[in-house]
């Protein structure tokens, strides 16, 4: 496949450059939001983690971070589609059920009908993780600590979605009756991703055993495969690969350096990978750390991929272009991110909200 257009950062992509890519390529990656974690952090202006792929007018979404819907429309996605906006959204894929990936998910049901969803002829397919299966184990007195929703403490995507309908029932029912809007349940088809037979997981000891990628979704424009990645204590946490006629795009989701991800991203044209700055963790949680601070630092450093590690991951995958997203901290210094080039011989792109990246050749 022909290479993709890339941009060196920190210079921001101009609006006209974005428009050129939007017009000149059949397959495009658009970064809707690039912040890892909460977006209130230090007043960052970044959107929450969310990315879109547009293939010849149809759109596929990965994660529903804060502000994804605003940036979806602002980017001009779905412009060519009758009905516009979310009418072009064909399928969405949730990497894992941390808040920064799904905090904007309810918006799909609350405002989606006004943003074009109700003009779609077929429901949007939504794929996400199933239940964790068991709660994170705790020892001693900690084990008796009260949890939220003890009757269902680890819901997967389907049950989370049903709970959203109940929690927002007053608005949804008002809209169905008073404004005669369609029932949002009729506009989506939500599924928990089932692992292939034979993959045995211990969600507490090894949430991402080595496994071959497996098929999640396919239509006439994309084939989407997935694998488990390592983001403890979260389980399941998925990475996704989109293969199109113009090339391949892989999303790491949240993960520490992962053999499964490297296998999934083999020779990918574009690898969108999360990244964390260890220097920020040291500043945020200086020594000496109490138990809670030590636990937080351990999660940040062992469930994510550092600036020093991410280049080697992309190199091992033989990816052509590495795009950094899910930046932690969201207000990080661009000069720090550029150090991710270390150990990687391909092109490095430091992701920015509303950045467009063309895949394949210009038409
Ligand atoms: Zn996460």
């Amino acid at each position: 496949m022909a290479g993709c257009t890339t941009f060196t950062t920190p210079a921001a992509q101009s609006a006209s450059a974005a428009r050129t890519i939007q017009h000149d390529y059949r397959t495009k990656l658009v970064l809707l939001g690039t912040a890892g974690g909460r977006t209130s952090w230090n007043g960052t202006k970044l959107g929450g983690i969310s990315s879109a792929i547009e293939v010849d007018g149809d759109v596929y979404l990965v994660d529903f971070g804060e502000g994804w819907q605003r940036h979806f429309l602002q980017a001009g996605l779905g412009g060519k589609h009758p009905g516009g906006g979310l009418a072009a959204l064909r399928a969405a894929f949730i990497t894992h059920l941390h808040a920064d990936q799904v905090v904007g998910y309810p918006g799909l049901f609350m405002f989606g009908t006004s943003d074009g969803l109700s003009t779609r002829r077929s429901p949007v397919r939504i794929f996400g993780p199933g239940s964790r299966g068991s709660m994170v184990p705790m020892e001693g007195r900690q084990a008796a600590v009260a949890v939220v929703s003890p009757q269902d403490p680890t819901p997967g995507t389907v049950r989370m979605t049903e709970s959203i309908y109940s929690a927002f029932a007053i608005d949804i029912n008002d809209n169905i009756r008073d404004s005669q809007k369609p029932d949002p349940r009729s506009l989506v088809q939500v599924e928990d991703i089932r692992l292939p037979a034979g993959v045995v997981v211990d969600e507490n000891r090894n949430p991402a055993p080595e496994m071959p990628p497996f098929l999640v979704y396919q239509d006439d424009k994309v084939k989407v495969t997935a694998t488990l990645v390592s983001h403890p204590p979260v389980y399941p946490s998925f990475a996704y690969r989109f293969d199109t006629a113009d090339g391949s795009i892989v999303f790491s989701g949240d993960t520490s350096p992962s053999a499964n991800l490297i296998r999934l991203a083999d020779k990918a044209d574009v690898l969108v990978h999360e990244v964390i700055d260890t220097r920020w963790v040291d500043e945020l949680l200086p020594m000496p750390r109490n138990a809670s601070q030590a636990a937080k630092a351990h999660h940040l450093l062992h469930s994510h991929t550092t600036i020093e590690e991410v280049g080697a991951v992309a190199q091992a995958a033989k990816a052509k272009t590495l795009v950094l997203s899910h930046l932690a901290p969201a207000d990080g210094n661009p000069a720090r991110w550029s150090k991710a080039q270390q150990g990687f011989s391909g092109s490095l792109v430091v992701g920015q909200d509303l950045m467009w990246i063309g895949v394949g050749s210009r038409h």
Side-chain angles (χ1 to χ4, degrees):
M1 294 293 167
C4 71
T5 300
T6 60
F7 295 90
T8 49
T9 41
Q13 185 179 47
S14 70
S16 69
R19 268 196 305 277
T20 304
I21 294 171
Q22 195 173 3
H23 183 261
D24 288 4
Y25 287 82
R26 180 171 58 177
T27 298
K28 289 89 75 163
L29 163 69
V30 195
L31 304 178
L32 299 183
T34 54
R38 70 195 199 277
T39 55
S40 50
W41 176 259
N42 270 4
T44 177
K45 293 187 176 66
L46 298 188
I49 185 69
S50 179
S51 315
I53 293 174
E54 190 180 61
V55 186
D56 200 17
D58 279 308
V59 181
Y60 306 85
L61 190 78
V62 178
D63 287 331
F64 292 89
E66 196 168 13
W68 74 271
Q69 214 157 331
R70 177 162 39 90
H71 280 178
F72 188 107
L73 298 179
Q74 235 175 304
L77 281 165
K80 278 196 278 180
H81 218 275
L86 296 182
L89 181 62
R90 207 157 168 183
F93 303 82
I94 298 170
T95 58
H96 64 295
L97 299 180
H98 261 154
D100 48 338
Q101 279 71 25
V102 293
V103 72
Y105 183 50
L108 179 69
F109 310 107
M110 304 312 128
F111 299 124
T113 49
S114 307
D115 284 342
L117 203 59
S118 53
T119 62
R120 272 198 67 75
R121 290 221 179 85
S122 56
V124 178
R125 304 282 302 273
I126 296 171
F127 300 87
S131 167
R132 187 180 194 279
S134 67
M135 278 194 288
V136 174
M138 302 288 278
E139 282 169 10
R141 279 191 304 162
Q142 286 279 18
V145 74
V147 296
V148 169
S149 184
Q151 73 287 0
D152 186 15
T154 61
T157 304
V158 167
R159 291 212 299 277
M160 176 181 74
T161 308
E162 286 163 358
S163 299
I164 289 169
Y165 297 145
S166 326
F168 292 92
I170 188 159
D171 176 82
I172 294 172
N173 288 330
D174 278 0
N175 276 312
I176 290 172
R177 289 180 164 239
D178 185 51
S179 308
Q180 296 180 26
K181 285 189 176 173
D183 183 335
R185 294 174 301 180
S186 67
L187 304 175
V188 294
Q189 185 182 330
V190 185
E191 291 163 54
D192 288 348
I193 292 172
R194 289 177 33 181
L195 292 176
V199 177
V200 182
V201 182
D202 179 334
E203 65 267 26
N204 298 317
R205 288 197 187 86
N206 185 10
E210 281 198 36
M211 61 184 288
F214 63 99
L215 182 69
V216 172
Y217 170 84
Q218 187 160 19
D219 62 24
D220 55 322
K221 292 182 176 171
V222 298
K223 180 174 104 174
V224 182
T225 47
T227 196
L228 285 170
V229 289
S230 185
H231 188 45
V234 174
Y235 171 80
S237 186
F238 290 113
Y240 295 109
R241 177 182 179 119
F242 292 71
D243 283 292
T244 74
D246 298 305
S248 51
I249 305 163
V250 175
F251 298 88
S252 70
D254 284 17
T255 183
S256 55
S258 159
N260 281 347
L261 183 272
I262 289 168
R263 189 167 174 182
L264 181 77
D266 185 48
K267 300 187 187 72
D269 291 282
V270 182
L271 168 59
V272 183
H273 205 293
E274 69 121 277
V275 68
I276 191 166
D277 187 352
T278 45
R279 195 182 285 178
W280 166 67
V281 177
D282 290 341
E283 286 166 8
L284 185 71
L285 302 159
M287 301 288 189
R289 292 169 179 154
N290 65 27
S292 143
Q293 290 164 334
K296 176 78 179 163
H298 186 271
H299 170 77
L300 289 173
L301 295 175
H302 291 87
S303 300
H304 293 283
T305 301
T306 66
I307 294 174
E308 293 76 17
E309 294 167 328
V310 70
V313 169
Q315 187 73 14
K318 301 183 272 304
K320 293 195 186 80
T321 296
L322 168 63
V323 177
L324 300 181
S325 191
H326 192 280
L327 307 172
D331 61 345
N333 179 345
R336 290 282 300 153
W337 303 128
S338 63
K339 296 200 184 308
Q341 184 73 65
Q342 199 178 20
F344 178 52
S345 56
S347 323
L348 174 72
V349 176
V350 181
Q352 297 165 352
D353 288 11
L354 298 174
M355 178 182 262
W356 286 75
I357 295 166
V359 180
S361 38
R362 282 183 126 97
H363 62 69

